[in-house]
Amino acid sequence: MTSKKKIAADLQSALSGQSPLSIDLYVEVLADYEDELKASLDKDADDALLCMLADDGDVAMMLIDWDGSIYRNENALKKLQAMWRHSFDTNVQTLLPIFSTHISQKNLAVAGIKWLPASTD
């Protein structure tokens, strides 16, 4: 079983653009969950849904936008960076321990994203 530390390092490397995302892992595993996750996004009324998986050093990710658009791997990363342009690093650091725990327990790492109104300070 892959350790949480190794999974977190693999996720960090992929999210920082230091290592490529795996199309094979996406096609073999994540693609099968597209419809289910899209339905979950609608049911939970989230603004977007992020799903990641790491396996033996490979990482794949999916982002589903509020309108049902599905972004895969590099496109998902670009979309996430644009969505979180002011808080990307902070949000990634918040999610890494949660995601690595889920993945180490043989689950997909999934997080619903909700938009907060901009502060008017």
Side-chain angles (χ1 to χ4, degrees):
M1 184 158 96
T2 308
S3 75
K4 285 194 278 185
K5 238 182 206 181
K6 169 76 168 110
I7 292 167
D10 291 342
L11 293 175
Q12 176 68 51
S13 182
L15 287 166
S16 67
Q18 294 173 343
S19 61
L21 290 152
S22 170
I23 190 63
D24 291 340
L25 184 59
Y26 189 96
V27 169
E28 291 170 12
V29 181
L30 287 188
D32 292 341
Y33 292 94
E34 286 181 355
D35 291 338
E36 183 180 333
L37 291 171
K38 199 171 182 181
S40 167
L41 174 67
D42 293 338
K43 183 173 75 85
D44 295 341
D46 287 321
D47 296 310
L49 189 137
L50 174 64
C51 177
M52 295 189 75
L53 182 63
D55 184 44
D56 291 331
D58 289 331
V59 175
M61 72 184 292
M62 170 191 332
L63 188 129
I64 305 174
D65 209 345
W66 63 271
D67 65 359
S69 299
I70 298 176
Y71 300 87
R72 299 162 184 90
N73 285 345
E74 283 78 10
N75 289 333
L77 180 56
K78 286 178 193 164
K79 181 70 173 176
L80 190 64
Q81 289 167 333
M83 293 168 92
W84 286 348
R85 65 185 162 278
H86 300 297
S87 57
F88 182 80
D89 292 334
T90 303
N91 290 343
V92 164
Q93 293 313 311
T94 300
L95 286 176
L96 279 179
I98 299 164
F99 275 17
S100 58
T101 297
H102 288 190
I103 293 168
S104 72
Q105 296 169 346
K106 303 289 186 211
N107 296 308
L108 295 177
V110 179
I113 299 170
K114 291 208 184 280
W115 298 123
L116 300 175
S119 63
T120 56
D121 305 358

